[in-house]
Amino acid sequence: MMYEHIMRVGMTINDKKRGGIILGGVDPTFSSNNKKVPNISEKYIMVKTTTEELKFKVKKMDLSTSITGNLSIGINIYDSDDFIKIKSGDEVLLVLD
């Protein structure tokens, strides 16, 4: 399989209405001037933890900018029992295949 780095996990939120949300820490490879941030809605991501690789389907992706012009990424995923295994610092990859 082929992958593309998206971000590192900053934190996760398990919202009753929206489900699992993965928030990315600011990634210096993306800025508000970079138009190459892929739209990953309805695609698959892999979260690489220290012990395993977890695959999730993305419901929705949101971008927001900081005052410094860096982008923060929020990924809302479909329900999965593996969501609780995601920790801050884990790597999020887009599945390209």
Side-chain angles (χ1 to χ4, degrees), residues 18-50:
R18 291 180 271 173
I21 301 170
I22 303 169
L23 301 172
V26 175
D27 192 324
T29 59
F30 299 123
S31 71
S32 57
N33 297 325
N34 183 348
K35 304 299 184 213
K36 295 183 180 182
V37 178
N39 181 359
I40 61 174
S41 296
E42 297 301 323
K43 295 184 180 176
Y44 287 91
I45 58 169
M46 178 175 345
V47 177
K48 286 181 85 173
T49 70
T50 55

Side-chain angles (χ1 to χ4, degrees), residues 32-93:
S32 57
N33 297 325
N34 183 348
K35 304 299 184 213
K36 295 183 180 182
V37 178
N39 181 359
I40 61 174
S41 296
E42 297 301 323
K43 295 184 180 176
Y44 287 91
I45 58 169
M46 178 175 345
V47 177
K48 286 181 85 173
T49 70
T50 55
T51 58
E52 58 190 319
E53 297 177 342
L54 308 168
K55 190 174 178 181
F56 301 97
K57 186 168 183 183
V58 176
K59 276 188 203 179
K60 182 180 174 186
M61 178 183 102
D62 290 315
L63 296 174
S64 63
T65 57
S66 70
I67 196 163
T68 61
N70 291 320
L71 291 178
S72 294
I73 302 171
I75 300 173
N76 183 228
I77 62 169
Y78 286 96
D79 289 337
S80 171
D81 292 337
D82 287 336
F83 179 75
I84 62 170
K85 297 178 182 179
I86 302 171
K87 304 290 182 230
S88 179
D90 290 345
E91 185 177 15
V92 179
L93 305 165

